[in-house]
Amino acid sequence: MARTASLSGFPEWLPEERLVEQHVLDTLRRTFELHGFGSIETRAVETVGQLLRKGEIDKEVYGLSRLQDDEGEEAKGKHDPHALALHFDLTVPFARYVVENAGYLAFPFRRYQIQKVWRGERPQEGRAREFTQADIDVVGDGDLPFRYDVEIALVIAEALGALPIPEFRLRINNRKLAEGFYRGIGLTDTAGVLRSIDKLEKIGPEKVAELLKSELGATDEQAQAALKLAGIKTEDTSFAAQVRSLGVSNDLLEEGLNELEQVIEAAVKRVPGKVVADLSIARGLDYYTGTVVETVLVGHEQLGSICSGGRYDALASKGNRKFPGVGLSIGVTRLVSRILSQDLAKASRSVPTAVFVALTSDGSWGEAQDVATELRSRGIPAEVAAKAEKFGKQIKFADRRGIPFVWFTDEEGKHQVKDIRSGVQVDADPATWTPSDEDIRVQVLAAHAS
């Protein structure tokens, strides 16, 4: 059968690579649940109108339609708000989920969600068209205490710290701080300024200044002031004094400064070295209203943000009822792609199997299955050879897949197990023999720990 060509932007992992991905997902799931976040899953499909309520990314959205409509059914254009499309993130579908299920949820509602999303990106390392995200959010009914902004940052820092990845930094800003400053210097189109500042790392300060002047009518002084604000980065709360030294003051700016100080102060105490106040962080989507976060791997900054999000106060509403929230999203596929491409971590074997039960003869297959069943009943993954080849060949088959143990049973019913890494072979009872925990389960080890 001819091998089919890969479809760009839709990654598929080999079994040993998939084990690394599963380790990442299991670690995130375990951390989120330790902090009391419950799991949900939303549908993959939303209406175009729902997806495009906030932000301007329609060129990245994949529309969904059948190849042939039913007779008499009117085809919907791709810009019809009732047309269907695949979700491009998990935040917008989650907001819709909260509104529709508000009567059944206990607020503040803490959820995590790990799902595939689809986005019309130009494929490259770190950017796929189909990828997995892992989100956590807390949503309130009417109001949501700011303390959750602090907690979300700490939970994500703990979750990322448990993964086999290099050092990382959560770069945190506050939209109130930025918007208050821009208004204070006379730039009223704050959303436009934020979108321009969001391009700073891609195009540089000179081109951002030109954008501010040509598209938003900023003067040289206003453009330079906006860039000075974006240039402030500190690992403690000293950013506040630097902002105030720029000579701008208003209530919105002070509220943003106070909120950012709370996040940074808590992070310095609880996850030192993991968080930085970075006033260049803007986040392009319009629905963010306060805290905003982007996260980079140290030494791998060109990969882009591996975790981002923030506070949104108006994304979800039902009549006069508002559901403000705060959340962060980890780009699992982006992370796993970098782990694999840079050999940052590897699975200890390519299959879950810990014990390969060899056959003495083809007639011993039933007895070998009994051995495997006994081992599995005690949580030891085992598989049985399909045919009675020479023992050397059966051992080589197990070794090629990284299976650590081979089980032998002679014609008199005597059992022995061989550790094919060391060559040590000992008598064993399938009802009591147990390997180490490290050998029972596949281990995913960071490169520096291997």
Side-chain angles (χ1 to χ4, degrees):
M1 180 177 177
R3 180 179 173 83
T4 58
S6 61
L7 190 58
S8 181
F10 296 84
E12 294 178 327
W13 309 125
L14 294 171
E16 56 268 34
E17 296 170 334
R18 173 67 172 151
L19 286 168
V20 173
E21 183 185 43
Q22 285 181 309
H23 171 77
V24 169
L25 294 173
D26 290 343
T27 301
L28 295 176
R29 188 179 298 114
R30 183 167 58 250
T31 305
F32 297 159
E33 291 183 357
L34 281 172
H35 286 269
F37 289 83
S39 175
I40 70 163
E41 182 171 293
T42 58
R43 64 197 185 211
V45 176
E46 301 287 343
T47 64
V48 169
Q50 177 71 27
L51 288 176
L52 302 185
R53 285 195 308 126
K54 300 284 184 178
E56 299 176 353
I57 57 172
D58 55 313
K59 66 180 182 181
E60 297 181 355
V61 176
Y62 279 112
L64 186 73
S65 63
R66 287 180 293 172
L67 294 179
Q68 183 173 338
D69 295 316
D70 289 339
E71 187 176 348
E73 184 178 8
E74 187 175 339
K76 293 182 174 69
K78 62 182 180 180
H79 295 295
D80 186 325
H82 301 292
L84 301 180
L86 296 170
H87 58 218
F88 59 83
D89 74 357
L90 299 179
T91 304
V92 173
F94 174 56
R96 188 264 312 156
Y97 176 94
V98 168
V99 170
E100 292 182 358
N101 294 283
Y104 305 97
L105 302 176
F107 294 94
F109 177 48
R110 303 160 71 91
R111 84 81 162 89
Y112 77 87
Q113 188 172 349
I114 300 176
Q115 273 184 255
K116 297 275 192 184
V117 299
W118 295 266
R119 195 174 296 175
E121 302 260 24
R122 177 177 295 177
Q124 54 186 292
E125 186 182 358
R127 291 191 179 276
R129 291 172 171 172
E130 178 184 70
F131 53 98
T132 299
Q133 287 187 334
D135 286 22
I136 57 170
D137 287 77
V138 183
V139 170
D141 185 357
D143 71 299
L144 184 70
F146 179 76
R147 188 159 286 169
Y148 287 111
D149 292 46
V150 181
E151 182 183 4
I152 284 283
L154 298 178
V155 173
I156 285 292
E158 181 180 327
L160 292 173
L163 299 179
I165 58 176
E167 285 292 310
F168 61 88
R169 294 290 182 275
L170 271 71
R171 304 164 64 192
I172 306 181
N173 194 8
N174 191 289
R175 292 279 278 258
K176 295 175 186 175
L177 187 167
E179 290 184 20
F181 184 87
Y182 301 148
R183 290 178 187 175
I185 62 174
L187 295 175
T188 55
D189 183 2
T190 56
V193 180
L194 286 164
R195 282 193 291 271
S196 296
I197 293 295
D198 198 35
K199 300 173 183 176
L200 192 57
E201 291 188 352
K202 292 181 180 178
I203 65 175
E206 290 184 6
K207 290 186 178 179
V208 168
E210 288 302 318
L211 281 177
L212 292 172
K213 289 185 285 187
S214 64
E215 295 185 1
L216 300 171
T219 65
D220 281 332
E221 292 76 14
Q222 289 172 325
Q224 290 309 311
L227 289 172
K228 282 182 182 178
L229 182 75
I232 297 174
K233 297 178 179 63
T234 69
E235 294 184 358
D236 53 25
T237 57
S238 61
F239 68 87
Q242 294 185 40
V243 172
R244 293 188 177 103
S245 73
L246 297 178
V248 178
S249 180
N250 55 54
D251 290 344
L252 186 61
L253 171 61
E254 288 298 323
E255 185 179 351
L257 278 170
N258 178 262
E259 290 184 353
L260 186 54
E261 281 183 300
Q262 290 183 56
V263 177
I264 300 300
E265 187 175 25
V268 168
K269 178 181 179 181
R270 299 192 176 276
V271 285
K274 302 298 185 187
V275 170
V276 59
D278 186 339
L279 275 55
S280 69
I281 299 303
R283 301 294 298 144
L285 292 172
D286 293 341
Y287 55 69
Y288 292 115
T289 55
T291 302
V292 284
V293 181
E294 290 190 356
T295 310
V296 294
L297 295 180
V298 177
H300 302 262
E301 288 83 1
Q302 75 282 5
L303 183 65
S305 180
I306 60 164
C307 172
S308 58
R311 164 73 71 141
Y312 48 92
D313 286 326
L315 186 61
S317 61
K318 189 175 185 179
N320 294 326
R321 196 174 175 189
K322 302 287 186 183
F323 302 97
V326 60
L328 291 173
S329 174
I330 296 174
V332 174
T333 302
R334 177 173 291 188
L335 260 182
V336 173
S337 296
R338 181 49 58 110
I339 291 171
L340 297 176
S341 69
Q342 301 291 313
D343 288 329
L344 300 176
K346 288 185 177 181
S348 56
R349 55 184 185 259
S350 64
V351 293
T353 310
V355 180
F356 184 77
V357 183
L359 294 183
T360 306
S361 65
D362 284 330
S364 65
W365 188 81
E367 290 79 4
Q369 286 289 351
D370 293 339
V371 170
T373 298
E374 187 69 51
L375 293 171
R376 293 179 196 128
S377 72
R378 296 187 294 108
I380 303 170
E383 64 178 270
V384 177
K387 55 183 179 180
E389 299 178 298
K390 291 181 179 179
F391 282 152
K393 197 166 185 179
Q394 294 186 66
I395 292 171
K396 185 177 290 186
F397 175 78
D399 184 48
R400 191 165 64 246
R401 301 166 74 211
I403 301 172
F405 298 99
V406 176
W407 193 282
F408 302 101
T409 305
D410 65 20
E411 293 178 353
E412 297 176 357
K414 180 182 178 181
H415 300 286
Q416 289 194 319
V417 64
K418 181 173 184 172
D419 184 333
I420 62 176
R421 299 162 298 184
S422 65
V424 175
Q425 186 166 326
V426 297
D427 292 342
D429 182 343
T432 58
W433 177 85
T434 302
S436 67
D437 288 343
E438 291 76 14
D439 285 332
I440 289 178
R441 282 170 288 277
V442 174
Q443 303 296 304
V444 174
L445 303 173
H448 59 77
S450 59

